Structures are given as C-alpha cells and as structure tokens.
Amino acid sequence: MANFTKADLLYSGYKDTALPDDDPKRTGKPDSTLLNRGESYEMVYFINRYMTDKNWVLLATFQRIEAFLKEDKNSNKSHGFWRGELDKRFTA
C-alpha cells in the first residue's frame, strides 16, 4: 500500500488550503471530480490511491507520477481522465 506524504513531493509551491469538510483524509473521497494539481493534499491522496490500486510502492514511482501530473499541459480534468492517462504511460 502506498502511504507517501506531502514531504515526499518533489515540486514546491503547493497550496495547503483544504477546508475540513473538503479534505479527503477526513471525508474518505476526493473533494471533487476534478484533480486540483496545485493542492498538496489532493496530489498525495490521488497518487497514493492510484499506486495502491496498482500495488506499487516505490518512492521513485510516486515522484515520477507527480512529475507527469505537474508537467502535463491538460487542465481542469477529472480523476478518471488522469487515471486513464497514467494507465497509458506507466507500468511501474
């Protein structure tokens, strides 16, 4: 099970603005259908969840996924869109 934290993110400048009822750690689900790649808690949650579903555990993989998500030019895309893109590009 992937259990990385904000400290494991390579990129800086993330916002940490989740409201208590918007934080997936408290609600158990993403705060919206769109992935906000600018919020640390949402990136960590999304990547951990994706990696857990794939049974991936390496920090290097976590950080490669983060880099892909941060550098991709698509914007305002759903969690499902990003999962599909990751499925196309990553094998571990």
Side-chain angles (χ1 to χ4, degrees):
M1 178 168 125
N3 195 25
F4 298 102
T5 68
K6 176 181 157 181
D8 296 311
L9 293 168
L10 286 176
Y11 288 72
S12 60
Y14 287 104
K15 293 184 291 180
D16 297 316
T17 56
L19 300 173
D21 61 344
D22 193 35
D23 187 340
K25 289 180 183 174
R26 297 186 72 187
T27 65
K29 60 184 178 188
D31 64 342
S32 73
T33 58
L34 300 180
L35 176 63
N36 185 333
R37 296 177 292 162
E39 292 181 343
S40 62
Y41 76 92
E42 193 161 351
M43 286 288 281
V44 169
Y45 175 85
F46 177 82
I47 298 169
N48 277 332
R49 176 107 180 184
Y50 182 80
M51 288 182 62
T52 297
D53 290 348
K54 298 290 186 181
N55 294 316
W56 296 344
V57 296
L58 298 177
L59 175 61
T61 303
F62 176 88
Q63 292 174 336
R64 281 183 23 238
I65 292 171
E66 177 199 7
F68 170 75
L69 292 171
K70 288 297 281 184
E71 294 172 11
D72 193 274
K73 302 299 182 213
N74 284 294
S75 61
N76 297 322
K77 298 293 183 180
S78 70
H79 286 243
F81 171 86
W82 290 115
R83 290 179 69 80
E85 291 300 300
L86 291 171
D87 285 346
K88 292 178 197 173
R89 291 173 170 80
F90 287 84
T91 58

Coordinates of all heavy atoms in Angstrom, one line a residue:
M1 N 0.8 -1.2 0.0 CA 0.0 0.0 0.0 C 0.9 1.2 0.0 O 1.8 1.4 0.8 CB -0.9 0.0 1.2 CG -1.8 1.2 1.3 SD -3.0 1.0 2.6 CE -2.7 2.4 3.6
A2 N 0.6 2.2 -0.9 CA 1.3 3.4 -1.0 C 0.8 4.3 0.2 O -0.3 4.5 0.3 CB 1.1 4.1 -2.3
N3 N 1.8 4.9 0.9 CA 1.4 5.8 2.0 C 2.4 6.9 2.1 O 3.0 7.2 3.1 CB 1.4 4.9 3.3 CG 0.7 5.7 4.4 OD1 -0.2 6.5 4.1 ND2 1.0 5.4 5.6
F4 N 2.6 7.6 1.0 CA 3.5 8.7 0.9 C 2.8 10.0 1.5 O 1.6 10.0 1.6 CB 4.0 8.9 -0.5 CG 4.8 7.7 -1.0 CD1 4.1 6.9 -1.9 CD2 6.0 7.5 -0.6 CE1 4.8 5.7 -2.4 CE2 6.7 6.4 -1.1 CZ 6.1 5.5 -1.9
T5 N 3.6 11.0 1.8 CA 3.1 12.2 2.5 C 3.6 13.4 1.6 O 4.4 13.3 0.7 CB 3.7 12.3 3.9 OG1 5.1 12.6 3.8 CG2 3.4 11.1 4.7
K6 N 3.1 14.5 2.1 CA 3.5 15.8 1.5 C 5.0 16.0 1.4 O 5.5 16.5 0.4 CB 2.8 16.9 2.3 CG 3.2 18.3 1.8 CD 2.5 19.3 2.7 CE 3.2 20.6 2.7 NZ 2.6 21.6 3.5
A7 N 5.7 15.5 2.4 CA 7.2 15.6 2.4 C 7.8 14.8 1.3 O 9.0 15.1 0.9 CB 7.7 15.1 3.8
D8 N 7.1 13.9 0.7 CA 7.7 13.1 -0.4 C 7.5 13.8 -1.8 O 8.1 13.3 -2.8 CB 7.1 11.7 -0.5 CG 7.4 10.9 0.8 OD1 8.5 10.9 1.2 OD2 6.4 10.4 1.4
L9 N 6.7 14.8 -1.9 CA 6.5 15.6 -3.1 C 7.8 16.3 -3.5 O 8.5 16.9 -2.7 CB 5.4 16.6 -3.0 CG 4.0 16.0 -2.8 CD1 3.0 17.1 -2.3 CD2 3.5 15.3 -4.0
L10 N 8.1 16.2 -4.8 CA 9.3 16.9 -5.4 C 9.1 18.3 -5.6 O 10.0 19.2 -5.4 CB 9.8 16.2 -6.7 CG 10.4 14.8 -6.6 CD1 10.7 14.3 -8.0 CD2 11.7 14.9 -5.8
Y11 N 7.9 18.7 -6.1 CA 7.6 20.0 -6.5 C 7.2 20.9 -5.3 O 6.6 20.4 -4.4 CB 6.5 20.0 -7.5 CG 6.9 19.5 -8.9 CD1 7.2 18.2 -9.1 CD2 7.1 20.4 -10.0 CE1 7.6 17.7 -10.3 CE2 7.5 19.9 -11.2 CZ 7.7 18.6 -11.4 OH 8.1 18.1 -12.6
S12 N 7.6 22.1 -5.4 CA 7.2 23.1 -4.3 C 6.1 24.0 -4.8 O 5.7 23.9 -6.0 CB 8.4 23.9 -3.9 OG 8.9 24.7 -5.0
G13 N 5.6 24.8 -3.9 CA 4.5 25.7 -4.3 C 3.1 25.2 -4.2 O 2.2 25.9 -4.7
Y14 N 2.9 24.1 -3.7 CA 1.6 23.6 -3.5 C 0.8 24.4 -2.5 O 1.4 24.9 -1.5 CB 1.6 22.1 -3.0 CG 2.0 21.1 -4.1 CD1 3.2 20.5 -4.0 CD2 1.1 20.7 -5.0 CE1 3.6 19.6 -5.0 CE2 1.4 19.7 -6.0 CZ 2.7 19.2 -5.9 OH 3.0 18.2 -6.9
K15 N -0.5 24.5 -2.6 CA -1.3 25.1 -1.6 C -1.8 24.0 -0.6 O -1.9 22.9 -1.0 CB -2.5 25.8 -2.3 CG -2.2 27.0 -3.1 CD -3.5 27.6 -3.6 CE -4.2 26.7 -4.6 NZ -5.4 27.2 -5.2
D16 N -2.0 24.5 0.6 CA -2.5 23.6 1.6 C -3.7 24.2 2.2 O -3.8 24.6 3.4 CB -1.4 23.4 2.7 CG -0.2 22.7 2.2 OD1 -0.3 21.7 1.5 OD2 0.9 23.1 2.6
T17 N -4.7 24.3 1.3 CA -5.9 25.1 1.7 C -7.2 24.3 1.9 O -8.3 24.9 1.9 CB -6.2 26.2 0.6 OG1 -6.3 25.5 -0.6 CG2 -5.0 27.2 0.5
A18 N -7.1 23.0 2.1 CA -8.3 22.2 2.2 C -9.1 22.6 3.5 O -8.5 22.7 4.5 CB -7.9 20.7 2.3
L19 N -10.3 22.8 3.3 CA -11.2 23.0 4.4 C -11.5 21.7 5.0 O -11.5 20.6 4.3 CB -12.5 23.7 3.9 CG -12.3 25.0 3.2 CD1 -13.7 25.5 2.6 CD2 -11.8 26.0 4.2
P20 N -11.8 21.6 6.3 CA -12.0 20.3 7.0 C -13.0 19.4 6.2 O -12.8 18.2 6.1 CB -12.6 20.7 8.3 CG -12.0 22.1 8.6 CD -12.0 22.8 7.2
D21 N -14.1 20.0 5.7 CA -15.1 19.1 5.0 C -14.7 18.8 3.6 O -15.5 18.2 2.9 CB -16.5 19.7 5.1 CG -16.6 21.1 4.5 OD1 -15.6 21.7 4.2 OD2 -17.7 21.5 4.2
D22 N -13.6 19.3 3.2 CA -13.1 19.2 1.8 C -11.9 18.3 1.7 O -11.4 17.9 0.6 CB -12.8 20.6 1.2 CG -12.6 20.6 -0.3 OD1 -13.3 19.8 -1.0 OD2 -11.7 21.3 -0.8
D23 N -11.3 17.9 2.8 CA -10.1 17.1 2.9 C -10.4 15.7 2.7 O -11.1 15.1 3.5 CB -9.4 17.4 4.3 CG -8.0 16.8 4.4 OD1 -7.7 15.8 3.6 OD2 -7.3 17.2 5.2
P24 N -9.8 15.0 1.7 CA -10.1 13.6 1.5 C -9.7 12.7 2.6 O -10.3 11.6 2.8 CB -9.4 13.3 0.2 CG -8.3 14.3 0.1 CD -8.9 15.5 0.7
K25 N -8.8 13.1 3.5 CA -8.4 12.3 4.6 C -9.5 12.2 5.6 O -9.7 11.3 6.3 CB -7.1 12.9 5.3 CG -5.9 12.7 4.5 CD -4.7 13.3 5.2 CE -3.4 13.2 4.4 NZ -2.3 13.9 5.0
R26 N -10.3 13.3 5.6 CA -11.5 13.3 6.6 C -12.7 12.7 5.9 O -13.6 12.1 6.6 CB -11.7 14.7 7.1 CG -10.5 15.2 7.9 CD -10.7 16.5 8.5 NE -11.6 16.3 9.6 CZ -12.2 17.3 10.3 NH1 -11.9 18.5 10.0 NH2 -13.0 17.0 11.3
T27 N -12.9 13.0 4.6 CA -14.2 12.5 4.0 C -14.1 11.1 3.4 O -15.1 10.5 3.2 CB -14.6 13.5 2.9 OG1 -13.6 13.5 1.8 CG2 -14.7 14.9 3.4
G28 N -12.8 10.7 3.1 CA -12.6 9.4 2.5 C -12.8 9.3 1.0 O -12.8 8.3 0.4
K29 N -13.0 10.5 0.4 CA -13.1 10.6 -1.0 C -12.5 11.9 -1.5 O -12.4 12.8 -0.8 CB -14.6 10.4 -1.4 CG -15.4 11.5 -0.9 CD -16.9 11.3 -1.2 CE -17.7 12.5 -0.6 NZ -19.1 12.3 -0.7
P30 N -12.2 11.9 -2.8 CA -11.7 13.2 -3.4 C -12.7 14.3 -3.2 O -13.9 14.1 -3.2 CB -11.4 12.9 -4.8 CG -11.4 11.4 -4.9 CD -12.2 10.9 -3.8
D31 N -12.2 15.6 -3.1 CA -13.1 16.7 -2.9 C -13.9 17.1 -4.1 O -14.9 17.8 -3.9 CB -12.3 17.9 -2.3 CG -11.3 18.4 -3.3 OD1 -11.0 17.7 -4.3 OD2 -10.9 19.6 -3.1
S32 N -13.5 16.6 -5.2 CA -14.3 16.9 -6.4 C -14.0 15.9 -7.5 O -13.0 15.1 -7.3 CB -14.1 18.3 -6.9 OG -12.8 18.4 -7.5
T33 N -14.7 15.9 -8.6 CA -14.3 15.0 -9.7 C -13.1 15.5 -10.4 O -12.5 14.8 -11.2 CB -15.5 14.8 -10.7 OG1 -15.9 16.1 -11.2 CG2 -16.6 14.2 -10.0
L34 N -12.7 16.8 -10.3 CA -11.6 17.4 -10.9 C -10.4 17.3 -10.0 O -10.5 17.5 -8.8 CB -11.8 18.8 -11.3 CG -12.9 19.1 -12.3 CD1 -13.0 20.6 -12.6 CD2 -12.8 18.4 -13.6
L35 N -9.2 16.9 -10.6 CA -8.0 16.8 -9.8 C -7.4 18.2 -9.7 O -7.0 18.8 -10.8 CB -7.0 15.8 -10.4 CG -5.7 15.7 -9.7 CD1 -5.8 15.2 -8.2 CD2 -4.8 14.8 -10.5
N36 N -7.2 18.8 -8.5 CA -6.5 20.0 -8.4 C -5.0 19.7 -8.2 O -4.6 19.3 -7.1 CB -7.1 20.8 -7.2 CG -6.5 22.2 -7.1 OD1 -5.3 22.4 -7.5 ND2 -7.2 23.1 -6.5
R37 N -4.2 20.0 -9.2 CA -2.8 19.6 -9.2 C -2.0 20.7 -8.4 O -0.8 20.6 -8.3 CB -2.3 19.4 -10.6 CG -2.9 18.2 -11.3 CD -2.5 18.1 -12.7 NE -3.0 19.2 -13.5 CZ -2.5 19.5 -14.7 NH1 -1.5 18.8 -15.2 NH2 -3.0 20.5 -15.4
G38 N -2.7 21.7 -7.9 CA -2.0 22.7 -7.1 C -2.1 22.5 -5.6 O -1.6 23.3 -4.9
E39 N -2.9 21.5 -5.2 CA -3.1 21.3 -3.7 C -2.3 20.0 -3.3 O -2.6 18.9 -3.8 CB -4.5 21.2 -3.4 CG -5.3 22.5 -3.6 CD -6.7 22.4 -3.3 OE1 -7.3 21.3 -3.2 OE2 -7.3 23.5 -3.1
S40 N -1.5 20.2 -2.3 CA -0.6 19.0 -1.9 C -1.5 17.9 -1.4 O -1.2 16.7 -1.8 CB 0.4 19.5 -0.8 OG -0.3 19.9 0.3
Y41 N -2.5 18.1 -0.6 CA -3.2 17.0 0.0 C -3.9 16.2 -1.1 O -4.0 15.0 -1.1 CB -4.2 17.5 1.0 CG -5.5 18.1 0.4 CD1 -6.6 17.4 0.1 CD2 -5.5 19.5 0.1 CE1 -7.7 18.0 -0.5 CE2 -6.6 20.1 -0.5 CZ -7.7 19.3 -0.7 OH -8.8 19.9 -1.3
E42 N -4.4 16.9 -2.2 CA -5.1 16.2 -3.2 C -4.2 15.4 -4.1 O -4.5 14.3 -4.5 CB -5.9 17.2 -4.1 CG -6.9 16.5 -4.9 CD -8.0 17.3 -5.5 OE1 -8.2 18.5 -5.0 OE2 -8.8 16.8 -6.3
M43 N -3.0 15.9 -4.4 CA -2.0 15.2 -5.2 C -1.5 14.0 -4.4 O -1.5 12.9 -5.0 CB -0.8 16.1 -5.5 CG -1.1 17.1 -6.5 SD -1.2 16.5 -8.2 CE 0.5 16.2 -8.6
V44 N -1.2 14.1 -3.1 CA -0.8 13.0 -2.3 C -1.9 11.9 -2.3 O -1.6 10.7 -2.5 CB -0.3 13.4 -0.9 CG1 -0.1 12.2 0.0 CG2 0.9 14.3 -1.0
Y45 N -3.1 12.3 -2.0 CA -4.2 11.3 -1.9 C -4.4 10.6 -3.3 O -4.5 9.4 -3.3 CB -5.5 12.1 -1.6 CG -6.7 11.2 -1.6 CD1 -7.0 10.4 -0.5 CD2 -7.5 11.1 -2.7 CE1 -8.1 9.6 -0.5 CE2 -8.6 10.2 -2.7 CZ -8.9 9.5 -1.6 OH -10.0 8.6 -1.7
F46 N -4.4 11.4 -4.3 CA -4.6 10.8 -5.7 C -3.5 9.8 -6.0 O -3.8 8.7 -6.5 CB -4.8 11.9 -6.7 CG -4.9 11.3 -8.1 CD1 -6.2 10.9 -8.6 CD2 -3.9 11.2 -9.0 CE1 -6.3 10.4 -9.9 CE2 -4.0 10.7 -10.3 CZ -5.3 10.3 -10.7
I47 N -2.3 10.2 -5.9 CA -1.2 9.4 -6.3 C -1.1 8.1 -5.4 O -0.9 7.0 -5.9 CB 0.2 10.1 -6.3 CG1 0.1 11.3 -7.3 CG2 1.3 9.2 -6.6 CD1 1.3 12.3 -7.1
N48 N -1.3 8.3 -4.1 CA -1.3 7.1 -3.2 C -2.4 6.1 -3.6 O -2.2 4.9 -3.6 CB -1.5 7.6 -1.7 CG -0.2 8.0 -1.1 OD1 0.9 7.5 -1.4 ND2 -0.3 8.9 -0.1
R49 N -3.6 6.6 -3.8 CA -4.7 5.8 -4.2 C -4.4 5.0 -5.5 O -4.7 3.8 -5.6 CB -6.0 6.6 -4.3 CG -7.2 5.9 -4.8 CD -8.1 5.7 -3.7 NE -9.2 5.0 -4.2 CZ -10.3 4.7 -3.5 NH1 -10.3 5.1 -2.2 NH2 -11.2 4.0 -4.0
Y50 N -3.9 5.8 -6.5 CA -3.6 5.1 -7.8 C -2.5 4.1 -7.6 O -2.7 2.9 -8.1 CB -3.1 6.2 -8.8 CG -2.8 5.6 -10.1 CD1 -3.9 5.4 -11.0 CD2 -1.5 5.3 -10.5 CE1 -3.6 4.8 -12.3 CE2 -1.2 4.8 -11.8 CZ -2.3 4.5 -12.6 OH -2.0 4.0 -13.9
M51 N -1.5 4.4 -6.9 CA -0.4 3.4 -6.7 C -0.9 2.2 -5.9 O -0.5 1.1 -6.2 CB 0.8 4.1 -6.0 CG 1.5 5.0 -6.9 SD 3.0 5.8 -6.1 CE 4.0 4.4 -5.7
T52 N -1.7 2.4 -4.9 CA -2.3 1.3 -4.1 C -3.1 0.4 -5.0 O -2.9 -0.9 -4.9 CB -3.1 1.8 -2.9 OG1 -2.3 2.5 -2.0 CG2 -3.8 0.7 -2.2
D53 N -3.9 0.9 -5.9 CA -4.7 0.1 -6.8 C -3.8 -0.7 -7.7 O -4.2 -1.8 -8.2 CB -5.6 1.0 -7.7 CG -6.7 1.6 -6.9 OD1 -7.0 1.2 -5.7 OD2 -7.4 2.5 -7.4
K54 N -2.6 -0.2 -8.0 CA -1.6 -0.9 -8.9 C -0.7 -1.8 -8.1 O 0.2 -2.4 -8.7 CB -0.8 0.1 -9.7 CG -1.7 1.0 -10.7 CD -2.2 0.1 -11.8 CE -3.0 1.0 -12.8 NZ -3.5 0.2 -13.9
N55 N -0.7 -1.7 -6.8 CA 0.2 -2.4 -6.0 C 1.7 -2.0 -6.1 O 2.6 -2.7 -6.1 CB 0.1 -4.0 -6.2 CG -1.2 -4.5 -5.7 OD1 -1.7 -4.2 -4.6 ND2 -1.8 -5.4 -6.5
W56 N 1.8 -0.7 -6.4 CA 3.1 -0.1 -6.5 C 3.5 0.6 -5.2 O 2.7 1.2 -4.5 CB 3.1 1.0 -7.6 CG 2.9 0.4 -9.0 CD1 2.9 -0.8 -9.4 CD2 2.5 1.2 -10.1 NE1 2.6 -0.9 -10.7 CE2 2.3 0.3 -11.2 CE3 2.2 2.6 -10.3 CZ2 1.9 0.7 -12.5 CZ3 1.9 3.0 -11.6 CH2 1.7 2.0 -12.7
V57 N 4.8 0.5 -4.8 CA 5.2 1.0 -3.5 C 6.5 1.9 -3.5 O 6.9 2.4 -2.5 CB 5.5 -0.2 -2.5 CG1 4.2 -0.9 -2.3 CG2 6.5 -1.1 -3.1
L58 N 7.1 2.1 -4.7 CA 8.4 2.8 -4.7 C 8.2 4.3 -4.7 O 7.4 4.9 -5.4 CB 9.2 2.4 -5.9 CG 9.6 1.0 -6.0 CD1 10.3 0.7 -7.4 CD2 10.4 0.6 -4.9
L59 N 9.0 5.0 -3.9 CA 9.0 6.5 -3.9 C 9.3 7.0 -5.2 O 8.7 8.0 -5.7 CB 10.0 7.0 -2.8 CG 10.2 8.5 -2.8 CD1 8.9 9.2 -2.4 CD2 11.3 8.8 -1.8
A60 N 10.2 6.4 -6.0 CA 10.6 6.9 -7.3 C 9.4 6.9 -8.2 O 9.2 7.8 -9.0 CB 11.7 6.1 -7.9
T61 N 8.5 5.9 -8.1 CA 7.3 5.9 -8.9 C 6.3 7.0 -8.5 O 5.8 7.6 -9.3 CB 6.6 4.5 -8.8 OG1 7.6 3.5 -9.1 CG2 5.4 4.4 -9.6
F62 N 6.2 7.2 -7.2 CA 5.3 8.3 -6.7 C 5.8 9.6 -7.3 O 5.0 10.4 -7.8 CB 5.5 8.3 -5.1 CG 4.7 9.4 -4.5 CD1 3.4 9.3 -4.2 CD2 5.4 10.6 -4.2 CE1 2.7 10.4 -3.5 CE2 4.7 11.7 -3.6 CZ 3.4 11.5 -3.3
Q63 N 7.1 9.8 -7.3 CA 7.6 11.1 -7.8 C 7.6 11.2 -9.3 O 7.4 12.3 -9.8 CB 9.0 11.3 -7.2 CG 9.0 11.5 -5.7 CD 10.3 11.6 -5.0 OE1 11.3 11.1 -5.6 NE2 10.4 12.2 -3.9
R64 N 7.7 10.1 -10.0 CA 7.5 10.1 -11.5 C 6.1 10.5 -11.8 O 5.8 11.2 -12.8 CB 7.9 8.8 -12.1 CG 9.4 8.6 -12.2 CD 9.8 7.3 -12.9 NE 8.9 6.7 -13.8 CZ 8.5 5.4 -13.6 NH1 8.9 4.7 -12.6 NH2 7.6 4.9 -14.5
I65 N 5.1 9.9 -11.1 CA 3.7 10.2 -11.3 C 3.5 11.7 -11.0 O 2.8 12.4 -11.8 CB 2.8 9.3 -10.5 CG1 2.9 7.9 -11.1 CG2 1.4 9.8 -10.5 CD1 2.2 6.8 -10.2
E66 N 4.0 12.2 -9.9 CA 3.8 13.6 -9.6 C 4.4 14.5 -10.7 O 3.7 15.4 -11.1 CB 4.6 13.9 -8.3 CG 4.5 15.4 -7.9 CD 5.5 15.9 -6.9 OE1 6.4 15.1 -6.6 OE2 5.4 17.1 -6.5
A67 N 5.6 14.2 -11.2 CA 6.2 15.0 -12.2 C 5.3 15.0 -13.5 O 5.1 16.0 -14.1 CB 7.6 14.5 -12.6
F68 N 4.8 13.8 -13.9 CA 3.9 13.7 -15.0 C 2.7 14.6 -14.8 O 2.3 15.4 -15.7 CB 3.5 12.3 -15.3 CG 2.4 12.2 -16.3 CD1 2.7 12.4 -17.7 CD2 1.1 12.0 -15.9 CE1 1.7 12.3 -18.6 CE2 0.1 11.9 -16.9 CZ 0.4 12.1 -18.2
L69 N 2.0 14.5 -13.7 CA 0.8 15.3 -13.4 C 1.1 16.8 -13.4 O 0.3 17.6 -13.9 CB 0.2 14.9 -12.1 CG -0.4 13.5 -12.0 CD1 -0.8 13.1 -10.6 CD2 -1.6 13.3 -13.0
K70 N 2.2 17.2 -12.8 CA 2.5 18.6 -12.7 C 2.9 19.2 -14.1 O 2.6 20.4 -14.4 CB 3.7 18.9 -11.7 CG 3.3 18.7 -10.3 CD 2.2 19.7 -9.9 CE 2.8 21.0 -9.6 NZ 1.8 22.0 -9.0
E71 N 3.6 18.4 -14.9 CA 4.1 19.0 -16.2 C 3.2 18.9 -17.3 O 3.4 19.5 -18.3 CB 5.5 18.3 -16.5 CG 6.5 18.6 -15.5 CD 7.8 17.8 -15.6 OE1 8.0 17.1 -16.7 OE2 8.7 17.9 -14.7
D72 N 2.2 18.0 -17.2 CA 1.2 17.8 -18.3 C 0.4 19.1 -18.5 O 0.1 19.8 -17.6 CB 0.3 16.7 -18.1 CG -0.5 16.3 -19.3 OD1 -1.5 16.9 -19.6 OD2 0.0 15.4 -20.0
K73 N 0.2 19.5 -19.8 CA -0.5 20.8 -20.1 C -2.0 20.7 -20.0 O -2.6 21.8 -20.1 CB -0.1 21.2 -21.6 CG 1.4 21.3 -21.8 CD 2.0 22.4 -20.9 CE 3.5 22.6 -21.2 NZ 4.2 22.9 -20.0
N74 N -2.6 19.5 -19.9 CA -4.0 19.5 -19.7 C -4.4 20.2 -18.4 O -3.7 20.1 -17.4 CB -4.5 18.0 -19.6 CG -4.5 17.4 -21.0 OD1 -5.3 17.8 -21.8 ND2 -3.6 16.4 -21.2
S75 N -5.6 20.8 -18.4 CA -6.1 21.4 -17.2 C -7.6 21.1 -17.0 O -8.3 20.7 -17.9 CB -5.9 22.9 -17.2 OG -6.6 23.5 -18.3
N76 N -8.0 21.2 -15.8 CA -9.4 21.0 -15.4 C -9.9 19.7 -15.9 O -10.9 19.6 -16.5 CB -10.3 22.1 -16.0 CG -9.9 23.5 -15.4 OD1 -9.6 23.6 -14.2 ND2 -10.0 24.5 -16.2
K77 N -9.2 18.6 -15.5 CA -9.5 17.3 -15.9 C -9.9 16.5 -14.7 O -9.4 16.7 -13.6 CB -8.4 16.6 -16.7 CG -8.0 17.3 -18.0 CD -9.1 17.2 -19.0 CE -8.7 17.8 -20.3 NZ -9.7 17.8 -21.3
S78 N -10.7 15.5 -14.9 CA -11.2 14.6 -13.8 C -10.2 13.6 -13.3 O -9.2 13.3 -14.0 CB -12.5 13.9 -14.3 OG -12.1 12.9 -15.3
H79 N -10.5 13.1 -12.2 CA -9.7 12.0 -11.7 C -9.6 10.8 -12.7 O -8.6 10.2 -12.9 CB -10.2 11.5 -10.3 CG -10.0 12.5 -9.2 ND1 -9.2 12.1 -8.1 CD2 -10.4 13.7 -9.0 CE1 -9.2 13.2 -7.3 NE2 -9.9 14.1 -7.8
G80 N -10.8 10.5 -13.3 CA -10.8 9.4 -14.2 C -10.0 9.7 -15.4 O -9.3 8.8 -16.0
F81 N -9.9 10.9 -15.9 CA -9.1 11.3 -17.0 C -7.6 11.0 -16.7 O -6.9 10.4 -17.5 CB -9.2 12.8 -17.4 CG -8.2 13.3 -18.4 CD1 -8.4 13.1 -19.8 CD2 -7.0 13.9 -18.0 CE1 -7.5 13.6 -20.7 CE2 -6.1 14.3 -18.9 CZ -6.3 14.2 -20.2
W82 N -7.2 11.5 -15.5 CA -5.8 11.3 -15.1 C -5.4 9.8 -14.9 O -4.3 9.4 -15.2 CB -5.5 12.2 -13.9 CG -5.4 13.6 -14.2 CD1 -6.3 14.6 -13.8 CD2 -4.6 14.3 -15.1 NE1 -6.0 15.8 -14.3 CE2 -4.9 15.6 -15.2 CE3 -3.5 13.8 -15.9 CZ2 -4.3 16.6 -16.0 CZ3 -2.8 14.8 -16.7 CH2 -3.2 16.1 -16.7
R83 N -6.4 9.1 -14.3 CA -6.1 7.6 -14.2 C -5.9 7.0 -15.5 O -5.0 6.2 -15.7 CB -7.3 7.0 -13.4 CG -7.3 7.3 -12.0 CD -8.5 6.7 -11.2 NE -8.3 5.2 -11.1 CZ -7.5 4.7 -10.2 NH1 -6.9 5.4 -9.3 NH2 -7.4 3.4 -10.1
G84 N -6.7 7.4 -16.5 CA -6.6 6.8 -17.9 C -5.2 7.2 -18.5 O -4.6 6.4 -19.1
E85 N -4.8 8.4 -18.3 CA -3.5 8.9 -18.8 C -2.4 8.1 -18.2 O -1.4 7.7 -18.8 CB -3.4 10.4 -18.6 CG -4.3 11.2 -19.5 CD -4.1 11.0 -21.0 OE1 -3.0 11.2 -21.5 OE2 -5.0 10.6 -21.7
L86 N -2.5 7.9 -16.9 CA -1.4 7.2 -16.2 C -1.4 5.7 -16.6 O -0.3 5.2 -16.8 CB -1.7 7.3 -14.6 CG -1.4 8.7 -14.0 CD1 -1.9 8.7 -12.6 CD2 0.0 9.1 -14.1
D87 N -2.6 5.2 -16.8 CA -2.6 3.8 -17.3 C -1.9 3.6 -18.6 O -1.3 2.6 -18.9 CB -4.1 3.3 -17.4 CG -4.8 3.0 -16.1 OD1 -4.1 2.9 -15.1 OD2 -6.0 2.9 -16.1
K88 N -2.0 4.6 -19.5 CA -1.4 4.6 -20.8 C 0.1 4.7 -20.7 O 0.8 4.2 -21.6 CB -1.9 5.7 -21.7 CG -3.3 5.6 -22.1 CD -3.7 6.9 -22.9 CE -5.2 7.1 -23.0 NZ -5.5 8.3 -23.7
R89 N 0.6 5.4 -19.7 CA 2.0 5.8 -19.7 C 2.9 5.1 -18.6 O 4.1 5.2 -18.7 CB 2.1 7.3 -19.4 CG 1.6 8.1 -20.6 CD 1.6 9.6 -20.3 NE 1.3 10.4 -21.5 CZ 0.1 10.6 -22.0 NH1 -0.9 10.0 -21.5 NH2 0.0 11.4 -23.1
F90 N 2.3 4.5 -17.6 CA 3.1 3.9 -16.5 C 2.9 2.4 -16.4 O 1.8 2.0 -16.5 CB 2.8 4.6 -15.2 CG 3.3 6.0 -15.1 CD1 2.6 7.1 -15.6 CD2 4.5 6.2 -14.5 CE1 3.1 8.4 -15.5 CE2 5.1 7.5 -14.4 CZ 4.3 8.6 -14.9
T91 N 4.0 1.7 -16.2 CA 3.9 0.3 -15.9 C 4.5 -0.1 -14.6 O 4.5 -1.2 -14.2 CB 4.6 -0.5 -17.0 OG1 5.9 -0.1 -17.1 CG2 3.9 -0.3 -18.3
A92 N 5.1 0.9 -13.9 CA 5.7 0.7 -12.6 C 7.0 1.4 -12.6 O 7.9 1.7 -12.3 CB 5.8 -0.7 -12.1

